[in-house]
Amino acid sequence: MHPYLRYLTDRLPEMTDLLTQLVRIESFSADKEGLDAMADAVSAELTRLGAKVTRYPQTTAGDHVLGVFNAGAGAPIAMILHNDTVHPRGAFAARFKIEDGKLYGPGAFDMKASHVITFYALRVLQAFGEMPNREIRVLFTSDEEIGSTTSRALIEETARGAALVMVMEPALPDGRLKSSRRGVAEFVVVAHGRAAHAGGDHQRGVNAIQEIAHQILRIQALTDYTRDIATTVSLIQGGTARNVIPARCEIHVDARASTLADAEWIAAQIHALQPVLPGARLEISGGFDRPPMECNAERIAIFERLKQIASPILTLDHGPSGAGSDAAFTAPIAPTMDGLGAVGDGLHAADEHVVLSSLPERAAMNALILREW
Ligand SMILES: [Zn+2]
């Protein structure tokens, strides 16, 4: 057994305790009090490890926290984590349990296990006197699950100049790294028609709902599974009364793409939509909040090197993720890999859980990456 892995396996009970403490601090994306309590907890851990800690106070969102080790030393590595979860307060009492070597709880897998893995990766390096002589930046944001509006600039700044960006999101359920991320877009299409009495003045009206019906079919038809493109008209609202020809109808569209070219293509198609009914007008807004992270030649090369570094601990593989993450923001800026966190399952679901034996294993793996990259 690798000495790091032996050291960490001996500490699995304390890793489990720390994970329990962090999961108990419920930190839904909209819960500033819970998020700030998480910011306190990670600041305390970073301070204990000797980092220089900077807190970025937010007015409505939770505060962000950056810890820096060896400031100014060469070839920086950035580790990106998020404190928020998709679970509103109250889920801990209902769902927390440890059973068959798995820890269940809201946000345990996504991604508080990653916090524990990160802290212990640093701890094992310090215990062995093998902290690399390089700057290590560890960023904890508060709004990843809702698009990273307040943290995006800080994420990009943290990634700038890094030799490697380690996005500590959970691994795929079988432990594979996430080498690609689909891009996620939201568009809003509003049809403007002309209101008129549905009985007495039917000819004068321009029915905005009818107009939107044409557009819905066009938008849905952009879906192409062979290209991994999916478009979904997911919300609709229109009309004012049963006997009035509606003057306005609005739809929201979710769109996903795996390549930058396809993301641009979808956005162009949607923004080029033209009205069908004479007298109708379309108002179109939106785009990709997170671009896709492609599994290109650069990503494969990063993966191959990580696989080699991790080989004393485990055999790594990689695969695609259908969801978005902050890796999409860092990939254009610096070499990025995602999915370095724990092994588990039930992402965002009631049975979300972590395989506890993966905590020492992934912490040892990440320690080697920090040392060897
Ligand atoms: Zn996450």
Side-chain angles (χ1 to χ4, degrees), residues 274-347:
Q274 294 297 325
V276 173
L277 303 180
R281 184 170 61 82
L282 294 178
E283 187 189 327
I284 301 164
S285 59
F288 277 79
D289 303 328
R290 287 203 178 101
M293 177 177 81
E294 295 185 23
C295 185
N296 51 20
E298 185 205 8
R299 196 97 37 238
I300 295 291
I302 296 167
F303 168 75
E304 290 299 338
R305 190 152 165 228
L306 291 176
K307 181 180 176 179
Q308 195 223 324
I309 292 171
S311 62
I313 308 288
L314 48 76
T315 305
L316 273 181
D317 202 350
H318 68 99
S321 166
S325 89
D326 289 332
F329 298 140
T330 66
I333 295 174
T336 295
M337 187 55 71
D338 197 353
L340 292 153
V343 179
D345 211 344
L347 211 62

Side-chain angles (χ1 to χ4, degrees), residues 82 110-111 144-145 169-170:
H82 63 84
D110 187 9
M111 60 185 299
E144 191 273 345
E145 299 290 1
E169 290 282 348

Side-chain angles (χ1 to χ4, degrees), residues 186-192 208 211-212 215-216 219 233 235-237 248-253 270-271 273-274 281-286:
E186 184 185 3
F187 300 93
V188 178
V189 181
V190 183
H192 297 278
E211 176 59 43
I212 279 290
Q215 305 304 333
I216 288 172
I219 292 165
V233 176
L235 289 167
I236 184 164
Q237 189 169 37
R248 190 180 191 281
C249 186
E250 175 178 313
I251 53 174
H252 289 234
V253 181
I270 290 182
H271 281 279
L273 290 170
Q274 294 297 325
R281 184 170 61 82
L282 294 178
E283 187 189 327
I284 301 164
S285 59

Side-chain angles (χ1 to χ4, degrees), residues 41-125:
V42 302
S43 298
E45 283 298 321
L46 288 167
T47 303
R48 201 166 299 148
L49 289 164
K52 181 178 168 288
V53 180
T54 309
R55 186 157 173 152
Y56 296 84
Q58 305 295 312
T59 45
T60 50
D63 294 353
H64 312 306
V65 176
L66 175 68
V68 177
F69 298 85
N70 301 332
I77 289 185
M79 305 175 88
I80 308 290
L81 300 95
H82 63 84
N83 284 336
D84 61 323
T85 80
V86 299
H87 307 280
R89 209 175 268 241
F92 179 82
R95 298 181 194 155
F96 179 81
K97 63 177 175 181
I98 299 175
E99 203 175 276
D100 298 331
K102 295 171 185 157
L103 186 148
Y104 293 76
F109 184 38
D110 187 9
M111 60 185 299
K112 292 177 180 179
S114 305
H115 293 50
V116 176
I117 286 168
T118 300
F119 295 137
Y120 275 83
L122 293 160
R123 185 168 294 190
V124 72
L125 287 168

